[in-house]
Amino acid sequence: MTPTPASFDSVDSREASKVAALDIGSNSFHLVVARIVAGSVQILHRVKQKVRLAEGLDSNNVLSEEAMARGLATLRVIADSLKGFEPDSVKIVATYTLRKAVNANVFIKRAIEILPYPIEVISGPEEARLIYSGVAHTNHDNGKRLVVDIGGGSTEFIIGEGLTPKLCRSLQMGCVSFTQRFFANGELKARQFERAITAAEQEMEPIEERYRRLGWQRCIGTSGTIKTLCNLVVHQGQKEPSDEAEVTLKGLKQIMKQFIEAGHIDNLTDPAISDDRRAVIPAGLCVLIGLFKALRIEALHYSPAALREGVLYQMEDELHNTDIRGRTASSLATRYDVDTAQANMVLGTTKTLYNACQKNWKLRHSDYRALISWAALLHEVGLQINTRGVQRHSAYILQNVDMPGFNQAQQELLATLVRYHRKKIRVQDIPGFTQYSKDDIYKLIALLRLAVLLNIKRQEGFLPEFDIAADKQGITLTFPQGWLNSKPIMTADLEREITYLQAVDITLSVS
């Protein structure tokens, strides 16, 4: 008799974390569910839904109600796969369409009612970095690699080596946006292909020389559009493209010839082209041909890993306490020659103030402690531009520089905190955020301002130990007896700060 299999009750299990990454893309929404065991990411489940969110953007970058409805309906389907997940185990990122949409917050607020997790709108360079991470963790290559991802609204280009991206760019061209521009009527004529390819080459002009100069040994393409094109070129739809199969410009031009002969998207009947991909594949082909010509790509290989895998691997990194945002902040401090001694003094005071006020001020968001700490370290990056108006210069740098690891909202909040670390506070200019309350932002600004002010002398040992008390909308600082009397300028600065903080409804008391 065959013995009955024993249970695993006596087998020691390794500690595992179940995580999920959702990519709210311009063409499709992708969900990947995985578990992380001993530093390894194991994919458990995938969901892909075609949405074409980018089709809903009008000329004023307003996202239509119809497109929002399609997206929200898709999120309701995806929500079933995320039941029971803890907030820290789900990461949702949104790309081109929600970067561009002026009413993105409307969609995000509705989406959060369906999926109770933060939705991060990431910048183009950050999207590129995450795409590279997904490819780098799943493909082994010696030497530099060029990674290309054609999305619905944007295309990302990354040159990297090993796990390190060296050059990341995102350009505003994609299979959905190019379909609207050049193939809206469904006709496939040679003239339309020529115009679309030329437009792609024009988009590439600002970056092509630098990319060619840096060079690469292997080119890898990701995304559903490139997968379909690889299928068409290499196997004519007979089977999945292999990692070793090469796509060349000659092969892509042959596919273009076949498309032109078909005459209309409705006549694209190759089994490699799915029904939901048919309308956008001619535009994707033009973008890829334009890239081959501009960058002089000899051959491209397909990789199934992309943005969502990159998000998963970043989550794995964060679970092991290696935060790329910390490395980014350190890099900026070095690049802009920050006075690290002063930055560390401000950081120390900021942490002291934050710890004393966090509970009574109900500063509960997981981002706050890290962001105000980075703001303390980076508040003077603008000194390289000019001492006068340093707060404006610092904010401008932090708002516009590439910051790997920071999503759009985190980078914007960081720049906002730094913008108001001194001088008057113009509350009407403080941006609104979906995931951060305005009252919380006011309090973070106040804490950073006080930390900067108390260290204004830039002298180790100048600031004595002092007591901090916080109530709902106020903070009281109590210094050793007689200290303020011996520091008339500091006393005057604090009195002026009392007036400044009234703009954000915070009462400062000093004794």
Side-chain angles (χ1 to χ4, degrees):
M1 180 182 294
T2 303
T4 303
S7 71
F8 285 150
D9 292 344
S10 61
V11 177
D12 291 333
S13 296
R14 293 190 181 187
E15 185 178 347
S17 302
K18 193 176 178 183
V19 296
L22 174 59
D23 164 17
I24 298 180
S26 297
N27 193 37
S28 306
F29 290 5
H30 295 264
L31 173 71
V32 178
V33 177
R35 70 173 190 158
I36 298 172
V37 184
S40 173
V41 176
Q42 301 174 355
I43 305 298
L44 302 176
H45 177 57
R46 295 179 186 271
V47 176
K48 175 186 175 184
Q49 294 286 322
K50 193 70 62 181
V51 181
R52 292 199 189 129
L53 203 62
E55 285 184 354
L57 278 179
D58 65 16
S59 58
N60 295 315
N61 289 325
V62 175
L63 188 60
S64 69
E65 282 291 332
E66 182 183 1
M68 286 195 203
R70 288 200 305 271
L72 295 172
T74 300
L75 293 181
R76 292 188 184 95
V77 173
I78 290 172
D80 287 337
S81 297
L82 292 176
K83 287 180 179 177
F85 275 79
E86 294 297 323
D88 290 344
S89 63
V90 177
K91 196 172 185 73
I92 304 176
V93 297
T95 57
Y96 173 82
T97 299
L98 293 185
R99 281 200 297 269
K100 296 290 289 183
V102 296
N103 57 337
N105 280 351
V106 175
F107 178 85
I108 292 172
K109 287 177 180 177
R110 295 176 185 174
I112 290 174
E113 294 176 0
I114 300 169
L115 293 174
Y117 308 103
I119 296 175
E120 303 178 6
V121 181
I122 57 176
S123 68
E126 175 65 1
E127 180 180 359
R129 186 191 68 80
L130 289 170
I131 289 168
Y132 183 82
S133 177
V135 172
H137 278 91
T138 52
N139 293 265
H140 175 72
D141 292 304
N142 292 319
K144 294 195 290 288
R145 59 164 76 91
L146 167 67
V147 176
V148 177
D149 185 293
I150 299 175
S154 63
T155 297
E156 283 65 47
F157 308 84
I158 314 95
I159 292 179
E161 190 166 3
L163 297 178
T164 305
K166 297 179 179 295
L167 189 58
C168 299
R169 290 291 183 272
S170 176
L171 297 181
Q172 295 183 22
M173 57 179 178
C175 60
V176 175
S177 56
F178 264 44
T179 296
Q180 293 173 306
R181 286 179 62 184
F182 302 106
F183 301 99
N185 59 7
E187 293 181 353
L188 304 176
K189 296 181 179 179
R191 177 59 179 159
Q192 290 171 293
F193 279 90
E194 291 173 6
R195 290 175 55 225
I197 292 169
T198 298
E201 291 183 89
Q202 288 175 312
E203 289 287 342
M204 293 294 297
E205 281 184 315
I207 71 169
E208 61 185 25
E209 182 180 351
R210 187 175 180 189
Y211 273 71
R212 291 200 301 258
R213 187 169 63 247
L214 185 57
W216 58 88
Q217 280 70 54
R218 181 179 172 91
C219 177
I220 296 176
T222 74
S223 77
T225 294
I226 291 181
K227 176 183 177 181
T228 299
L229 292 171
C230 287
N231 244 331
L232 289 168
V233 172
V234 179
H235 300 299
Q236 292 297 294
Q238 296 305 305
K239 59 181 180 179
E240 293 289 300
S242 71
D243 290 340
E244 299 307 314
E246 288 190 343
V247 174
T248 63
L249 181 58
K250 180 180 179 181
L252 292 173
K253 287 183 175 179
Q254 181 61 35
I255 296 300
M256 182 176 70
K257 181 180 178 182
Q258 294 173 12
F259 282 7
I260 293 171
E261 290 172 353
H264 195 278
I265 59 170
D266 292 341
N267 300 327
L268 300 180
T269 57
D270 192 298
I273 307 174
S274 62
D275 291 342
D276 57 12
R277 182 74 58 182
R278 184 174 293 113
V280 298
I281 200 64
L285 174 62
C286 293
V287 172
L288 191 56
I289 290 176
L291 306 188
F292 263 76
K293 295 174 70 175
L295 296 180
R296 301 172 190 167
I297 297 171
E298 295 181 0
L300 175 144
H301 301 81
Y302 169 72
S303 168
L307 174 61
R308 51 264 176 205
E309 286 79 13
V311 171
L312 284 177
Y313 279 99
Q314 175 169 292
M315 293 175 75
E316 192 272 338
D317 286 344
E318 290 174 354
L319 286 171
H320 290 81
N321 300 315
T322 54
D323 193 341
I324 191 172
R325 294 174 297 179
R327 296 198 296 272
T328 295
S330 297
S331 174
L332 287 173
T334 301
R335 190 190 318 175
Y336 291 98
D337 197 24
V338 167
D339 182 343
T340 55
Q342 174 66 7
N344 284 328
M345 284 193 291
V346 173
L347 173 62
T349 306
T350 298
K351 288 181 175 180
T352 299
L353 291 166
Y354 184 89
N355 290 338
C357 298
Q358 180 185 16
K359 183 177 180 180
N360 286 338
W361 280 7
K362 299 180 179 179
L363 299 172
R364 293 170 178 157
H365 199 289
S366 59
D367 283 348
Y368 289 159
R369 183 183 298 275
L371 287 174
I372 195 171
S373 296
W374 285 318
L377 289 170
L378 298 172
H379 72 281
E380 289 188 333
V381 291
L383 279 176
Q384 274 207 354
I385 298 175
N386 200 322
T387 304
R388 188 177 180 86
V390 61
Q391 72 278 8
R392 296 192 303 274
H393 305 317
S394 294
Y396 178 83
I397 290 171
L398 295 177
Q399 203 165 25
N400 291 280
V401 73
D402 288 346
M403 297 191 69
F406 288 81
N407 63 50
Q408 205 169 42
Q410 290 168 344
Q411 186 167 353
E412 182 73 17
L413 178 55
L414 182 61
T416 300
L417 297 180
V418 168
R419 170 63 181 85
Y420 296 103
H421 80 259
R422 62 194 290 267
K423 301 294 185 179
K424 291 182 179 179
I425 306 171
R426 295 174 56 86
V427 293
Q428 65 271 26
D429 293 339
I430 296 176
F433 294 85
T434 302
Q435 58 269 64
Y436 309 128
S437 80
K438 183 154 284 190
D439 190 52
D440 286 352
I441 294 171
Y442 290 167
K443 290 170 179 173
L444 294 175
I445 288 172
L447 294 178
L448 180 62
R449 289 175 65 90
L450 287 172
V452 172
L453 175 56
L454 292 172
N455 290 281
I456 198 168
K457 291 294 185 182
R458 312 179 81 91
Q459 297 172 4
E460 288 278 2
F462 171 80
L463 187 64
E465 291 188 9
F466 58 98
D467 294 328
I468 307 161
D471 54 30
K472 188 175 181 181
Q473 287 295 129
I475 180 171
T476 299
L477 306 181
T478 304
F479 295 94
Q481 188 172 3
W483 187 79
L484 282 177
N485 291 335
S486 66
K487 304 290 186 293
I489 298 177
M490 175 61 72
T491 300
D493 287 341
L494 287 168
E495 288 174 352
R496 183 171 57 186
E497 188 64 20
I498 291 171
T499 303
Y500 283 155
L501 291 181
Q502 289 173 358
V504 289
D505 299 321
I506 290 177
T507 301
L508 170 63
S509 302
V510 181
S511 61

